[in-house]
Amino acid sequence: MIKNSTQPILLQKLFELLERHRTAFGQERIYWRAVGLVLGEIFNFGRHTVTQGLMALGMIDGDWSGWYRLFSQGRYEERKVAQAFIRETLPHTSVEEPYVTGVDGVQIPRSSLKMAGTSWLKAPRTPVFKVGIHRAQRFLHGSWLTPLEAGYSRAIPLRFLPAFPPKAKPAYVQPQREWEAGLSFLQWVRQELDEAGREKQLLFNLADGSFDVLDFWRELPERTVLAVRTARNRRLYYLPERHPGPGRPASYGALAPHPCDWLHKGISWQKREIPVRGKSILMKFQVLGPFVREGLPEVPLFLFVVKGMHRKVGKKRPHYKHRKPSFYLVSAVQIDGQWQLPLPVKIILAWLWQRWELEVAHREMKSGFGVGEKQCWNPRSSISSVQWSVWVYALLLLSAYRSWGLLNAPPIPTRWWQGAKRWSFNTLWRQYRSAFWGTPQFQALWTRTPDNWLKKESFLIGLSNSIAASTRI
């Protein structure tokens, strides 16, 4: 184990987490190569390829094939690493609280027509009136959402499962739909919670409308609750009334109004002040049901209708921002013979806002951390290298969460701005590099008098490898 009592708390937490994953790598030399690549990801200023990570470590003369075999020969086993990682998240939630997760599909753009798992997919950055396509690999992102602090949370990835379409280039994994990969993720999380002695802990999952699928609802694991966005014209039915006598009992009751129809029913709206990202937002909503979906009479659901918002935002340039109405289906649980909500209404509403944290994680991983940039073309490594980068991203986030929580990061060293209430990934990256290189952030490298050049000598030497590697962008 890497030990140093003078290390900043951030590095101590990082090395502790790495030590907890030692058994997931089997051999000792493989574990130390993994540690080296993690450090290379932090020091690397350029593209996040294996080559530039090794160059940032100063390894320019050795044979690199062993490092690439970490991915191509299956020496990095994603499932074993994920099992070790999820156990490290459990101390942060008590058994009485729900273990909150989120699932979402994400695409990793590719340019190759032959890479395993690639296919033509709908390009997300094209306008709705002119939808385009691009070449990409599709994955299922399953995250743990940290407990709420002043309306803040953060999505920390647990798994990144391939969800390749049937027409994708053949890979060593079977093709599956997004919801099938999401179901596998939830079953895995439920199994891990049970094996950790948390059979009574509720698993609460957030998802977008692509997971509002009948089979996804039908095959949810026990003690698992789903909150999913649904269509405004979803066909719902009331629960059937019980009639004594012969004959088959009815599966459906009367047809209920469409979710969007409740906006114009003239009913009074419930109101709650919900803390969201450091602010208190007044939400108007209705909780209706229980209902059942057409084709799914055995799973009662509650409908949340959240009224649109028209609120004033901005300080220097105030303006109004409109948010359209939204509709959600939430699993119902049976208590004393009655169908009830699994959690208090205020808690459910607060968590519905937090599903967007998965989108924030996508942006940070792809735009900031370079997920998908590794030049690994082997059929196995083209998948495992992506999963590796996501694991390193999660490792860095969890280390910071253990060090600072969500709101107690070191301040930004600028006079004109002290930083956001919740630390950003860029702030985290600066803190890691500052801790490793042992220098304050933004220390000037040039002054009018050369009185401190000798003090900067070791700092400049430490940066030389990273600067040299970053020239290969």
Side-chain angles (χ1 to χ4, degrees), residues 325-353:
S326 53
F327 313 95
Y328 302 89
L329 292 177
V330 179
S331 303
V333 295
Q334 195 169 31
I335 302 176
D336 298 330
Q338 299 292 327
W339 292 107
Q340 300 181 19
L341 288 171
L343 295 169
V345 171
K346 190 171 183 178
I347 294 178
I348 294 178
L349 290 173
W351 279 117
L352 290 178
W353 276 86

PDB file of all heavy atoms in Angstrom, residues 325-353:
ATOM      1  N   PRO A 325     -44.506  21.271 -18.646  1.00  0.00           N
ATOM      2  CA  PRO A 325     -45.003  20.241 -17.721  1.00  0.00           C
ATOM      3  C   PRO A 325     -44.323  18.900 -17.984  1.00  0.00           C
ATOM      4  O   PRO A 325     -43.903  18.597 -19.106  1.00  0.00           O
ATOM      5  CB  PRO A 325     -46.502  20.181 -18.032  1.00  0.00           C
ATOM      6  CG  PRO A 325     -46.813  21.460 -18.721  1.00  0.00           C
ATOM      7  CD  PRO A 325     -45.581  21.862 -19.455  1.00  0.00           C
ATOM      8  N   SER A 326     -44.221  18.109 -16.952  1.00  0.00           N
ATOM      9  CA  SER A 326     -43.598  16.792 -17.075  1.00  0.00           C
ATOM     10  C   SER A 326     -44.444  15.766 -16.339  1.00  0.00           C
ATOM     11  O   SER A 326     -45.192  16.099 -15.410  1.00  0.00           O
ATOM     12  CB  SER A 326     -42.168  16.807 -16.529  1.00  0.00           C
ATOM     13  OG  SER A 326     -42.140  17.324 -15.216  1.00  0.00           O
ATOM     14  N   PHE A 327     -44.298  14.517 -16.765  1.00  0.00           N
ATOM     15  CA  PHE A 327     -45.146  13.440 -16.252  1.00  0.00           C
ATOM     16  C   PHE A 327     -44.255  12.245 -15.904  1.00  0.00           C
ATOM     17  O   PHE A 327     -43.374  11.867 -16.684  1.00  0.00           O
ATOM     18  CB  PHE A 327     -46.191  13.043 -17.295  1.00  0.00           C
ATOM     19  CG  PHE A 327     -46.899  14.223 -17.906  1.00  0.00           C
ATOM     20  CD1 PHE A 327     -46.453  14.772 -19.107  1.00  0.00           C
ATOM     21  CD2 PHE A 327     -47.983  14.806 -17.280  1.00  0.00           C
ATOM     22  CE1 PHE A 327     -47.077  15.861 -19.671  1.00  0.00           C
ATOM     23  CE2 PHE A 327     -48.624  15.901 -17.834  1.00  0.00           C
ATOM     24  CZ  PHE A 327     -48.173  16.433 -19.035  1.00  0.00           C
ATOM     25  N   TYR A 328     -44.514  11.655 -14.743  1.00  0.00           N
ATOM     26  CA  TYR A 328     -43.680  10.557 -14.251  1.00  0.00           C
ATOM     27  C   TYR A 328     -44.566   9.436 -13.721  1.00  0.00           C
ATOM     28  O   TYR A 328     -45.639   9.683 -13.150  1.00  0.00           O
ATOM     29  CB  TYR A 328     -42.752  11.032 -13.123  1.00  0.00           C
ATOM     30  CG  TYR A 328     -41.841  12.166 -13.506  1.00  0.00           C
ATOM     31  CD1 TYR A 328     -42.254  13.493 -13.347  1.00  0.00           C
ATOM     32  CD2 TYR A 328     -40.575  11.932 -14.020  1.00  0.00           C
ATOM     33  CE1 TYR A 328     -41.425  14.539 -13.698  1.00  0.00           C
ATOM     34  CE2 TYR A 328     -39.737  12.977 -14.373  1.00  0.00           C
ATOM     35  CZ  TYR A 328     -40.169  14.277 -14.212  1.00  0.00           C
ATOM     36  OH  TYR A 328     -39.347  15.318 -14.561  1.00  0.00           O
ATOM     37  N   LEU A 329     -44.086   8.221 -13.900  1.00  0.00           N
ATOM     38  CA  LEU A 329     -44.707   7.049 -13.295  1.00  0.00           C
ATOM     39  C   LEU A 329     -43.783   6.523 -12.205  1.00  0.00           C
ATOM     40  O   LEU A 329     -42.572   6.401 -12.422  1.00  0.00           O
ATOM     41  CB  LEU A 329     -44.960   5.961 -14.341  1.00  0.00           C
ATOM     42  CG  LEU A 329     -46.028   6.268 -15.395  1.00  0.00           C
ATOM     43  CD1 LEU A 329     -46.117   5.135 -16.408  1.00  0.00           C
ATOM     44  CD2 LEU A 329     -47.386   6.509 -14.748  1.00  0.00           C
ATOM     45  N   VAL A 330     -44.358   6.215 -11.046  1.00  0.00           N
ATOM     46  CA  VAL A 330     -43.589   5.748  -9.890  1.00  0.00           C
ATOM     47  C   VAL A 330     -44.205   4.449  -9.394  1.00  0.00           C
ATOM     48  O   VAL A 330     -45.441   4.331  -9.299  1.00  0.00           O
ATOM     49  CB  VAL A 330     -43.582   6.805  -8.761  1.00  0.00           C
ATOM     50  CG1 VAL A 330     -42.795   6.302  -7.560  1.00  0.00           C
ATOM     51  CG2 VAL A 330     -43.006   8.121  -9.271  1.00  0.00           C
ATOM     52  N   SER A 331     -43.360   3.485  -9.084  1.00  0.00           N
ATOM     53  CA  SER A 331     -43.843   2.195  -8.595  1.00  0.00           C
ATOM     54  C   SER A 331     -44.656   2.371  -7.314  1.00  0.00           C
ATOM     55  O   SER A 331     -44.311   3.182  -6.447  1.00  0.00           O
ATOM     56  CB  SER A 331     -42.663   1.260  -8.314  1.00  0.00           C
ATOM     57  OG  SER A 331     -41.866   1.082  -9.463  1.00  0.00           O
ATOM     58  N   ALA A 332     -45.720   1.600  -7.198  1.00  0.00           N
ATOM     59  CA  ALA A 332     -46.525   1.573  -5.976  1.00  0.00           C
ATOM     60  C   ALA A 332     -46.124   0.362  -5.142  1.00  0.00           C
ATOM     61  O   ALA A 332     -45.741  -0.684  -5.680  1.00  0.00           O
ATOM     62  CB  ALA A 332     -48.009   1.507  -6.318  1.00  0.00           C
ATOM     63  N   VAL A 333     -46.182   0.511  -3.829  1.00  0.00           N
ATOM     64  CA  VAL A 333     -45.884  -0.595  -2.917  1.00  0.00           C
ATOM     65  C   VAL A 333     -47.123  -0.858  -2.072  1.00  0.00           C
ATOM     66  O   VAL A 333     -47.878   0.065  -1.739  1.00  0.00           O
ATOM     67  CB  VAL A 333     -44.666  -0.281  -2.019  1.00  0.00           C
ATOM     68  CG1 VAL A 333     -43.408  -0.150  -2.849  1.00  0.00           C
ATOM     69  CG2 VAL A 333     -44.900   0.983  -1.206  1.00  0.00           C
ATOM     70  N   GLN A 334     -47.325  -2.112  -1.734  1.00  0.00           N
ATOM     71  CA  GLN A 334     -48.512  -2.496  -0.971  1.00  0.00           C
ATOM     72  C   GLN A 334     -48.170  -2.590   0.511  1.00  0.00           C
ATOM     73  O   GLN A 334     -47.280  -3.349   0.910  1.00  0.00           O
ATOM     74  CB  GLN A 334     -49.065  -3.824  -1.473  1.00  0.00           C
ATOM     75  CG  GLN A 334     -50.474  -4.113  -1.004  1.00  0.00           C
ATOM     76  CD  GLN A 334     -51.084  -5.297  -1.732  1.00  0.00           C
ATOM     77  OE1 GLN A 334     -50.373  -6.215  -2.121  1.00  0.00           O
ATOM     78  NE2 GLN A 334     -52.394  -5.278  -1.933  1.00  0.00           N
ATOM     79  N   ILE A 335     -48.852  -1.788   1.320  1.00  0.00           N
ATOM     80  CA  ILE A 335     -48.665  -1.766   2.768  1.00  0.00           C
ATOM     81  C   ILE A 335     -50.029  -1.938   3.425  1.00  0.00           C
ATOM     82  O   ILE A 335     -50.940  -1.127   3.199  1.00  0.00           O
ATOM     83  CB  ILE A 335     -48.004  -0.448   3.225  1.00  0.00           C
ATOM     84  CG1 ILE A 335     -46.649  -0.257   2.527  1.00  0.00           C
ATOM     85  CG2 ILE A 335     -47.827  -0.435   4.741  1.00  0.00           C
ATOM     86  CD1 ILE A 335     -45.977   1.059   2.847  1.00  0.00           C
ATOM     87  N   ASP A 336     -50.169  -2.998   4.211  1.00  0.00           N
ATOM     88  CA  ASP A 336     -51.435  -3.299   4.898  1.00  0.00           C
ATOM     89  C   ASP A 336     -52.598  -3.380   3.916  1.00  0.00           C
ATOM     90  O   ASP A 336     -53.706  -2.882   4.174  1.00  0.00           O
ATOM     91  CB  ASP A 336     -51.726  -2.249   5.974  1.00  0.00           C
ATOM     92  CG  ASP A 336     -50.665  -2.226   7.063  1.00  0.00           C
ATOM     93  OD1 ASP A 336     -50.075  -3.296   7.318  1.00  0.00           O
ATOM     94  OD2 ASP A 336     -50.422  -1.147   7.633  1.00  0.00           O
ATOM     95  N   GLY A 337     -52.333  -3.986   2.762  1.00  0.00           N
ATOM     96  CA  GLY A 337     -53.392  -4.181   1.779  1.00  0.00           C
ATOM     97  C   GLY A 337     -53.734  -2.960   0.955  1.00  0.00           C
ATOM     98  O   GLY A 337     -54.649  -3.014   0.126  1.00  0.00           O
ATOM     99  N   GLN A 338     -53.013  -1.849   1.131  1.00  0.00           N
ATOM    100  CA  GLN A 338     -53.275  -0.622   0.389  1.00  0.00           C
ATOM    101  C   GLN A 338     -52.052  -0.251  -0.450  1.00  0.00           C
ATOM    102  O   GLN A 338     -50.914  -0.389  -0.002  1.00  0.00           O
ATOM    103  CB  GLN A 338     -53.610   0.531   1.352  1.00  0.00           C
ATOM    104  CG  GLN A 338     -54.842   0.294   2.204  1.00  0.00           C
ATOM    105  CD  GLN A 338     -56.121   0.299   1.381  1.00  0.00           C
ATOM    106  OE1 GLN A 338     -56.233   1.019   0.389  1.00  0.00           O
ATOM    107  NE2 GLN A 338     -57.094  -0.507   1.798  1.00  0.00           N
ATOM    108  N   TRP A 339     -52.315   0.228  -1.677  1.00  0.00           N
ATOM    109  CA  TRP A 339     -51.221   0.677  -2.536  1.00  0.00           C
ATOM    110  C   TRP A 339     -50.826   2.097  -2.142  1.00  0.00           C
ATOM    111  O   TRP A 339     -51.662   2.997  -2.120  1.00  0.00           O
ATOM    112  CB  TRP A 339     -51.639   0.630  -4.001  1.00  0.00           C
ATOM    113  CG  TRP A 339     -51.843  -0.763  -4.507  1.00  0.00           C
ATOM    114  CD1 TRP A 339     -53.027  -1.380  -4.782  1.00  0.00           C
ATOM    115  CD2 TRP A 339     -50.816  -1.718  -4.787  1.00  0.00           C
ATOM    116  NE1 TRP A 339     -52.813  -2.663  -5.214  1.00  0.00           N
ATOM    117  CE2 TRP A 339     -51.457  -2.901  -5.233  1.00  0.00           C
ATOM    118  CE3 TRP A 339     -49.430  -1.709  -4.711  1.00  0.00           C
ATOM    119  CZ2 TRP A 339     -50.758  -4.048  -5.599  1.00  0.00           C
ATOM    120  CZ3 TRP A 339     -48.729  -2.847  -5.077  1.00  0.00           C
ATOM    121  CH2 TRP A 339     -49.382  -3.999  -5.515  1.00  0.00           C
ATOM    122  N   GLN A 340     -49.539   2.271  -1.833  1.00  0.00           N
ATOM    123  CA  GLN A 340     -49.043   3.556  -1.368  1.00  0.00           C
ATOM    124  C   GLN A 340     -47.752   3.917  -2.088  1.00  0.00           C
ATOM    125  O   GLN A 340     -47.118   3.077  -2.736  1.00  0.00           O
ATOM    126  CB  GLN A 340     -48.797   3.514   0.148  1.00  0.00           C
ATOM    127  CG  GLN A 340     -50.025   3.194   0.977  1.00  0.00           C
ATOM    128  CD  GLN A 340     -49.725   3.182   2.463  1.00  0.00           C
ATOM    129  OE1 GLN A 340     -48.720   3.733   2.911  1.00  0.00           O
ATOM    130  NE2 GLN A 340     -50.605   2.549   3.236  1.00  0.00           N
ATOM    131  N   LEU A 341     -47.363   5.189  -1.947  1.00  0.00           N
ATOM    132  CA  LEU A 341     -46.088   5.633  -2.503  1.00  0.00           C
ATOM    133  C   LEU A 341     -44.937   5.006  -1.724  1.00  0.00           C
ATOM    134  O   LEU A 341     -45.024   4.833  -0.503  1.00  0.00           O
ATOM    135  CB  LEU A 341     -45.981   7.154  -2.441  1.00  0.00           C
ATOM    136  CG  LEU A 341     -46.865   7.943  -3.409  1.00  0.00           C
ATOM    137  CD1 LEU A 341     -46.801   9.427  -3.077  1.00  0.00           C
ATOM    138  CD2 LEU A 341     -46.429   7.714  -4.851  1.00  0.00           C
ATOM    139  N   PRO A 342     -43.829   4.698  -2.396  1.00  0.00           N
ATOM    140  CA  PRO A 342     -42.702   4.062  -1.692  1.00  0.00           C
ATOM    141  C   PRO A 342     -41.952   5.013  -0.773  1.00  0.00           C
ATOM    142  O   PRO A 342     -41.288   4.569   0.166  1.00  0.00           O
ATOM    143  CB  PRO A 342     -41.809   3.582  -2.837  1.00  0.00           C
ATOM    144  CG  PRO A 342     -42.122   4.498  -3.970  1.00  0.00           C
ATOM    145  CD  PRO A 342     -43.578   4.833  -3.837  1.00  0.00           C
ATOM    146  N   LEU A 343     -42.019   6.320  -1.044  1.00  0.00           N
ATOM    147  CA  LEU A 343     -41.312   7.332  -0.262  1.00  0.00           C
ATOM    148  C   LEU A 343     -42.213   8.549  -0.114  1.00  0.00           C
ATOM    149  O   LEU A 343     -43.176   8.715  -0.880  1.00  0.00           O
ATOM    150  CB  LEU A 343     -40.005   7.739  -0.961  1.00  0.00           C
ATOM    151  CG  LEU A 343     -38.915   6.667  -1.112  1.00  0.00           C
ATOM    152  CD1 LEU A 343     -37.824   7.165  -2.055  1.00  0.00           C
ATOM    153  CD2 LEU A 343     -38.322   6.284   0.231  1.00  0.00           C
ATOM    154  N   PRO A 344     -41.930   9.428   0.840  1.00  0.00           N
ATOM    155  CA  PRO A 344     -42.708  10.667   0.938  1.00  0.00           C
ATOM    156  C   PRO A 344     -42.644  11.481  -0.354  1.00  0.00           C
ATOM    157  O   PRO A 344     -41.650  11.452  -1.084  1.00  0.00           O
ATOM    158  CB  PRO A 344     -42.035  11.408   2.104  1.00  0.00           C
ATOM    159  CG  PRO A 344     -41.412  10.333   2.927  1.00  0.00           C
ATOM    160  CD  PRO A 344     -40.976   9.281   1.956  1.00  0.00           C
ATOM    161  N   VAL A 345     -43.715  12.220  -0.611  1.00  0.00           N
ATOM    162  CA  VAL A 345     -43.826  12.967  -1.867  1.00  0.00           C
ATOM    163  C   VAL A 345     -42.663  13.938  -2.041  1.00  0.00           C
ATOM    164  O   VAL A 345     -42.085  14.058  -3.130  1.00  0.00           O
ATOM    165  CB  VAL A 345     -45.173  13.719  -1.907  1.00  0.00           C
ATOM    166  CG1 VAL A 345     -45.215  14.676  -3.095  1.00  0.00           C
ATOM    167  CG2 VAL A 345     -46.322  12.731  -1.990  1.00  0.00           C
ATOM    168  N   LYS A 346     -42.291  14.638  -0.983  1.00  0.00           N
ATOM    169  CA  LYS A 346     -41.234  15.646  -1.095  1.00  0.00           C
ATOM    170  C   LYS A 346     -39.904  15.016  -1.480  1.00  0.00           C
ATOM    171  O   LYS A 346     -39.129  15.593  -2.264  1.00  0.00           O
ATOM    172  CB  LYS A 346     -41.099  16.402   0.231  1.00  0.00           C
ATOM    173  CG  LYS A 346     -40.197  17.616   0.153  1.00  0.00           C
ATOM    174  CD  LYS A 346     -40.266  18.437   1.426  1.00  0.00           C
ATOM    175  CE  LYS A 346     -39.403  19.695   1.299  1.00  0.00           C
ATOM    176  NZ  LYS A 346     -39.493  20.545   2.512  1.00  0.00           N
ATOM    177  N   ILE A 347     -39.618  13.832  -0.967  1.00  0.00           N
ATOM    178  CA  ILE A 347     -38.363  13.158  -1.302  1.00  0.00           C
ATOM    179  C   ILE A 347     -38.372  12.708  -2.760  1.00  0.00           C
ATOM    180  O   ILE A 347     -37.370  12.847  -3.478  1.00  0.00           O
ATOM    181  CB  ILE A 347     -38.134  11.970  -0.352  1.00  0.00           C
ATOM    182  CG1 ILE A 347     -37.917  12.481   1.075  1.00  0.00           C
ATOM    183  CG2 ILE A 347     -36.950  11.132  -0.802  1.00  0.00           C
ATOM    184  CD1 ILE A 347     -37.720  11.384   2.093  1.00  0.00           C
ATOM    185  N   ILE A 348     -39.499  12.182  -3.222  1.00  0.00           N
ATOM    186  CA  ILE A 348     -39.586  11.749  -4.619  1.00  0.00           C
ATOM    187  C   ILE A 348     -39.400  12.933  -5.558  1.00  0.00           C
ATOM    188  O   ILE A 348     -38.660  12.860  -6.551  1.00  0.00           O
ATOM    189  CB  ILE A 348     -40.931  11.044  -4.877  1.00  0.00           C
ATOM    190  CG1 ILE A 348     -40.999   9.733  -4.085  1.00  0.00           C
ATOM    191  CG2 ILE A 348     -41.115  10.770  -6.366  1.00  0.00           C
ATOM    192  CD1 ILE A 348     -42.315   9.004  -4.235  1.00  0.00           C
ATOM    193  N   LEU A 349     -40.051  14.059  -5.261  1.00  0.00           N
ATOM    194  CA  LEU A 349     -39.908  15.241  -6.110  1.00  0.00           C
ATOM    195  C   LEU A 349     -38.468  15.738  -6.132  1.00  0.00           C
ATOM    196  O   LEU A 349     -37.952  16.159  -7.184  1.00  0.00           O
ATOM    197  CB  LEU A 349     -40.840  16.348  -5.617  1.00  0.00           C
ATOM    198  CG  LEU A 349     -42.341  16.118  -5.820  1.00  0.00           C
ATOM    199  CD1 LEU A 349     -43.135  17.223  -5.135  1.00  0.00           C
ATOM    200  CD2 LEU A 349     -42.688  16.051  -7.299  1.00  0.00           C
ATOM    201  N   ALA A 350     -37.809  15.704  -4.982  1.00  0.00           N
ATOM    202  CA  ALA A 350     -36.414  16.157  -4.932  1.00  0.00           C
ATOM    203  C   ALA A 350     -35.519  15.276  -5.793  1.00  0.00           C
ATOM    204  O   ALA A 350     -34.621  15.769  -6.487  1.00  0.00           O
ATOM    205  CB  ALA A 350     -35.928  16.168  -3.485  1.00  0.00           C
ATOM    206  N   TRP A 351     -35.764  13.963  -5.783  1.00  0.00           N
ATOM    207  CA  TRP A 351     -34.921  13.065  -6.567  1.00  0.00           C
ATOM    208  C   TRP A 351     -35.238  13.135  -8.053  1.00  0.00           C
ATOM    209  O   TRP A 351     -34.351  12.894  -8.886  1.00  0.00           O
ATOM    210  CB  TRP A 351     -35.067  11.628  -6.066  1.00  0.00           C
ATOM    211  CG  TRP A 351     -34.241  11.343  -4.858  1.00  0.00           C
ATOM    212  CD1 TRP A 351     -34.677  10.997  -3.614  1.00  0.00           C
ATOM    213  CD2 TRP A 351     -32.812  11.390  -4.775  1.00  0.00           C
ATOM    214  NE1 TRP A 351     -33.618  10.828  -2.762  1.00  0.00           N
ATOM    215  CE2 TRP A 351     -32.463  11.061  -3.451  1.00  0.00           C
ATOM    216  CE3 TRP A 351     -31.801  11.679  -5.681  1.00  0.00           C
ATOM    217  CZ2 TRP A 351     -31.135  11.013  -3.014  1.00  0.00           C
ATOM    218  CZ3 TRP A 351     -30.481  11.635  -5.253  1.00  0.00           C
ATOM    219  CH2 TRP A 351     -30.163  11.309  -3.939  1.00  0.00           C
ATOM    220  N   LEU A 352     -36.474  13.464  -8.422  1.00  0.00           N
ATOM    221  CA  LEU A 352     -36.796  13.568  -9.846  1.00  0.00           C
ATOM    222  C   LEU A 352     -35.951  14.640 -10.527  1.00  0.00           C
ATOM    223  O   LEU A 352     -35.610  14.516 -11.709  1.00  0.00           O
ATOM    224  CB  LEU A 352     -38.287  13.868 -10.027  1.00  0.00           C
ATOM    225  CG  LEU A 352     -39.257  12.732  -9.679  1.00  0.00           C
ATOM    226  CD1 LEU A 352     -40.699  13.188  -9.848  1.00  0.00           C
ATOM    227  CD2 LEU A 352     -38.983  11.498 -10.525  1.00  0.00           C
ATOM    228  N   TRP A 353     -35.603  15.695  -9.789  1.00  0.00           N
ATOM    229  CA  TRP A 353     -34.746  16.734 -10.354  1.00  0.00           C
ATOM    230  C   TRP A 353     -33.330  16.222 -10.599  1.00  0.00           C
ATOM    231  O   TRP A 353     -32.615  16.739 -11.463  1.00  0.00           O
ATOM    232  CB  TRP A 353     -34.674  17.927  -9.394  1.00  0.00           C
ATOM    233  CG  TRP A 353     -35.799  18.891  -9.537  1.00  0.00           C
ATOM    234  CD1 TRP A 353     -37.017  18.819  -8.942  1.00  0.00           C
ATOM    235  CD2 TRP A 353     -35.818  20.080 -10.338  1.00  0.00           C
ATOM    236  NE1 TRP A 353     -37.791  19.888  -9.302  1.00  0.00           N
ATOM    237  CE2 TRP A 353     -37.082  20.683 -10.159  1.00  0.00           C
ATOM    238  CE3 TRP A 353     -34.898  20.696 -11.170  1.00  0.00           C
ATOM    239  CZ2 TRP A 353     -37.440  21.866 -10.792  1.00  0.00           C
ATOM    240  CZ3 TRP A 353     -35.252  21.873 -11.799  1.00  0.00           C
ATOM    241  CH2 TRP A 353     -36.511  22.449 -11.609  1.00  0.00           C
TER     242      TRP A 353
END
